[in-house]
Amino acid sequence: MCGTDLQLLRGSAPFTGIPGHEFVGTVIDAPRADSRWIGRRVVGEINIGCGRCEWCRNRIKEHCPNRTVVGIRGRPGAFAERLALPAANLHEVPAEVDDEAAVFAEPVAAACRILEQVEVSADRTVAVIGDGRLGLLIAQVLMTTGATVVVHGRHEWKLRIARALGLEAYADAAAPAARHDIVVEATGRGEGLNRALELVKPRGTIVLKTTCDGDSSWTGWKAVVDEVRLIGSRCGPFAPALALLQSGAVKTKPLVTGWFSLADHQAAFDAARSGLKVLLDPHLE
Ligand SMILES: [Zn+2]
Ligand SMILES: [Zn+2]
């Protein structure tokens, strides 16, 4: 589960039903036209478009105004034994990627979205603010470009995990006073944007990953004076995400801080508030 699930639980969006949108499973049934999927181990893209609108015609189902989203908007999610999804959303999981890693395909895809939006190259410096589950995935994905990546966080134990993953990581207050070409905001808090504006170079780029509910006041004039580019960033491509999990360039094992049964969902949500990645296994008793 991720921060979005915790926000939905707080009532930040008008969703009722089964949450959960990061999953791995085996296809047990399909219409005849898609029967080749039966028995395959898969992950799935979570947006389902109407298929008729301007966005869908351009293959951008993420912005279809009539879309449903698994476990987030108008469609039952993955905290269940079974889940239905159009075959077009499925991606087979390579044998080298075990179930525990495959569950990360969706958030790693969201991290890969940044590479579609911003040119990140070896001569760039990047700061990722946020040492949570998404921040540590984003930092690993950006490292694969050869760019210099530093993580700014608030929790010493999460920063230790970041360092064990080979990342340069600092408590935000103790970080070197450098400004960066690109700053990725993944704090999960509205104030993160103000910190990003302090850390970005003039004419630099801020990528916003926090889908935070509630108000946040931000010092927008700084973005004007420094001519900063602000880029919102949400769902991303699964194929490169699975490739990064397969090659081991993105490591997920240190991020898993708990496994729970569906019956223990309350304990799982509690653990997810303070921990990193918490997983639900419908097969656990
Ligand atoms: Zn998520
Ligand atoms: Zn549509």
Side-chain angles (χ1 to χ4, degrees):
M1 57 179 64
C2 76
T4 301
D5 301 310
L6 294 170
Q7 277 185 32
L8 288 174
L9 192 67
R10 284 203 303 270
S12 65
F15 176 75
T16 54
I18 301 168
H21 58 275
E22 303 175 1
F23 61 90
V24 59
T26 302
V27 178
I28 53 170
D29 198 11
R32 185 180 299 180
D34 298 316
S35 59
R36 65 192 176 89
W37 284 101
I38 293 175
R40 295 211 222 166
R41 198 165 60 104
V42 297
V43 290
E45 295 173 36
I46 64 175
N47 294 273
I48 295 96
C50 72
R52 294 180 301 277
C53 73
E54 180 194 344
W55 293 98
C56 287
R57 284 201 304 274
N58 288 312
R59 297 169 169 267
I60 308 174
K61 56 188 183 302
E62 294 79 10
H63 293 290
C64 168
N66 303 310
R67 71 186 179 277
T68 58
V69 186
V70 174
I72 295 176
R73 176 166 150 161
R75 176 177 278 266
F79 296 163
E81 291 176 355
R82 292 176 184 196
L83 165 73
L85 202 63
N89 285 51
L90 301 180
H91 293 263
E92 185 160 23
V93 179
E96 300 88 340
V97 181
D98 64 17
D99 285 350
E100 186 184 278
V103 174
F104 285 82
E106 197 275 335
V108 173
C112 289
R113 174 73 182 130
I114 297 170
L115 300 180
E116 294 181 329
Q117 297 176 291
V118 185
E119 206 192 311
V120 185
S121 47
D123 58 345
R124 297 296 165 103
T125 73
V126 186
V128 176
I129 35 179
D131 54 13
R133 47 207 141 215
L134 185 57
L136 298 186
L137 293 175
I138 290 170
Q140 291 186 77
V141 167
L142 297 182
M143 281 273 282
T144 64
T145 66
T148 304
V149 179
V150 296
V151 175
H152 287 229
R154 296 202 304 176
H155 311 87
E156 196 44 51
W157 72 272
K158 292 180 186 175
L159 293 168
R160 271 200 297 277
I161 289 173
R163 290 180 201 118
L165 288 165
L167 298 162
E168 192 178 334
Y170 301 97
D172 189 42
R179 293 177 80 181
H180 301 271
D181 301 301
I182 299 158
V183 177
V184 181
E185 194 285 312
T187 61
R189 288 170 293 117
E191 316 89 86
L193 176 52
N194 288 331
R195 184 66 180 127
L197 284 164
E198 292 171 359
L199 287 173
V200 73
K201 282 182 187 172
R203 299 200 177 175
T205 301
I206 295 175
V207 179
L208 299 169
K209 274 292 184 188
T210 295
T211 54
C212 190
D213 55 329
D215 290 337
S216 58
S217 60
W218 63 290
T219 45
W221 60 270
K222 280 191 188 162
V224 177
V225 171
D226 282 342
E227 298 190 310
V228 170
R229 282 203 305 160
L230 293 175
I231 298 180
S233 181
R234 201 176 89 230
C235 297
F238 270 56
L242 284 169
L244 289 173
L245 291 168
Q246 185 176 16
S247 72
V250 172
K251 295 183 181 60
T252 57
K253 201 154 206 57
L255 303 186
V256 176
T257 50
W259 280 88
F260 292 86
S261 68
L262 287 175
D264 271 342
H265 58 273
Q266 194 62 57
F269 274 104
D270 289 344
R273 280 191 195 90
S274 56
L276 284 169
K277 211 69 176 174
V278 166
L279 306 181
L280 287 167
D281 183 350
H283 302 299
L284 275 181
E285 288 292 316

